[in-house]
Amino acid sequence: GATLQHPTTLKLTAEEQKRFLADQPITQVTAATKWRILTQEDQLSTYDTWDIRLLQFFPDPDCEGKPIDASLGEAIHSNGYNSPQSAFEDNESSWYGYPVDGNYFIGIDFKGEEKVVRCIILDQPYGQPTYTLNYFTTTAVVQAYHEGEWVNVWIADGLVKGDNTIRIDLSTLATPE
């Protein structure tokens, strides 16, 4: 899996970080009715598509136990080939995401029911033998729908092809004085 870091230790240059985060601060959110992960074109290994074989949200900070049942909500995404629901099913199908305004995202709208998310499993496939390209991101933002808008909850850097575990450790975020 990838080495995932706190936002202040990102390996991005200041200009890349500024462009990627669009000057949005990290917001401490415990529970939300919608959760998603987002990346941008300049964070992809190969432009144009973001492939996700499996995406699971967990209330447990170590992704232990069962993931949150995706069927309790509706899969949401920027755009893509294959249903976004396919990313939440542990099988061989993938979601192939396309951007809207340069942003790729996929997540779940839990239809008004708040869910706690503290860990995410993200499987960016290695590709089939017939494919030579692998469309994965190295950096993604975990976002929650909070007080009527999407806010950044966590930044995952160093993502790789294959399995990634993103642990959202709010205890490492500075608290306001």
Side-chain angles (χ1 to χ4, degrees):
T3 302
L4 304 173
Q5 301 176 358
H6 182 269
T8 58
T9 60
L10 279 174
K11 293 177 231 144
L12 302 175
T13 66
E15 185 56 37
E16 287 172 326
Q17 187 174 357
K18 182 178 178 186
R19 186 172 65 247
F20 188 59
L21 296 178
D23 295 322
Q24 290 188 63
I26 297 297
T27 303
Q28 291 191 41
V29 176
T30 304
T33 59
K34 300 177 192 178
W35 289 90
R36 70 181 185 181
I37 59 171
L38 173 142
T39 195
Q40 293 182 327
E41 286 180 297
D42 59 355
Q43 304 299 319
L44 292 172
S45 61
T46 307
Y47 73 94
D48 167 309
T49 306
W50 184 18
D51 292 0
I52 297 177
R53 191 191 73 75
L54 182 64
L55 178 62
Q56 295 177 312
F57 296 115
F58 290 81
D60 182 83
D62 294 314
C63 289
E64 306 247 329
K66 291 186 176 186
I68 298 169
D69 184 352
S71 71
L72 297 176
E74 179 181 338
I76 55 174
H77 66 130
S78 50
N79 201 350
Y81 178 78
N82 280 357
S83 162
Q85 187 64 36
S86 62
F88 298 97
E89 298 166 356
D90 195 2
N91 56 35
E92 292 305 311
S93 68
S94 293
W95 171 76
Y96 306 97
Y98 301 135
V100 171
D101 296 328
N103 293 318
Y104 299 72
F105 68 84
I106 185 168
I108 302 175
D109 178 347
F110 290 104
K111 302 295 183 188
E113 186 175 336
E114 288 199 337
K115 299 291 182 186
V116 173
V117 173
R118 286 293 156 263
C119 192
I120 297 171
I121 297 290
L122 170 65
D123 182 1
Q124 302 181 109
Y126 286 94
Q128 305 294 332
T130 56
Y131 302 122
T132 56
L133 298 175
N134 292 290
Y135 302 102
F136 69 97
T137 188
T138 56
T139 305
V141 177
V142 177
Q143 293 187 322
Y145 197 72
H146 180 70
E147 297 179 357
E149 65 180 348
W150 288 103
V151 296
N152 298 335
V153 176
W154 195 256
I155 301 167
D157 188 33
L159 298 173
V160 298
K161 285 187 291 187
D163 293 327
N164 296 273
T165 301
I166 302 168
R167 290 177 181 85
I168 302 168
D169 184 2
L170 297 180
S171 69
T172 63
L173 296 175
T175 54
E177 295 181 21

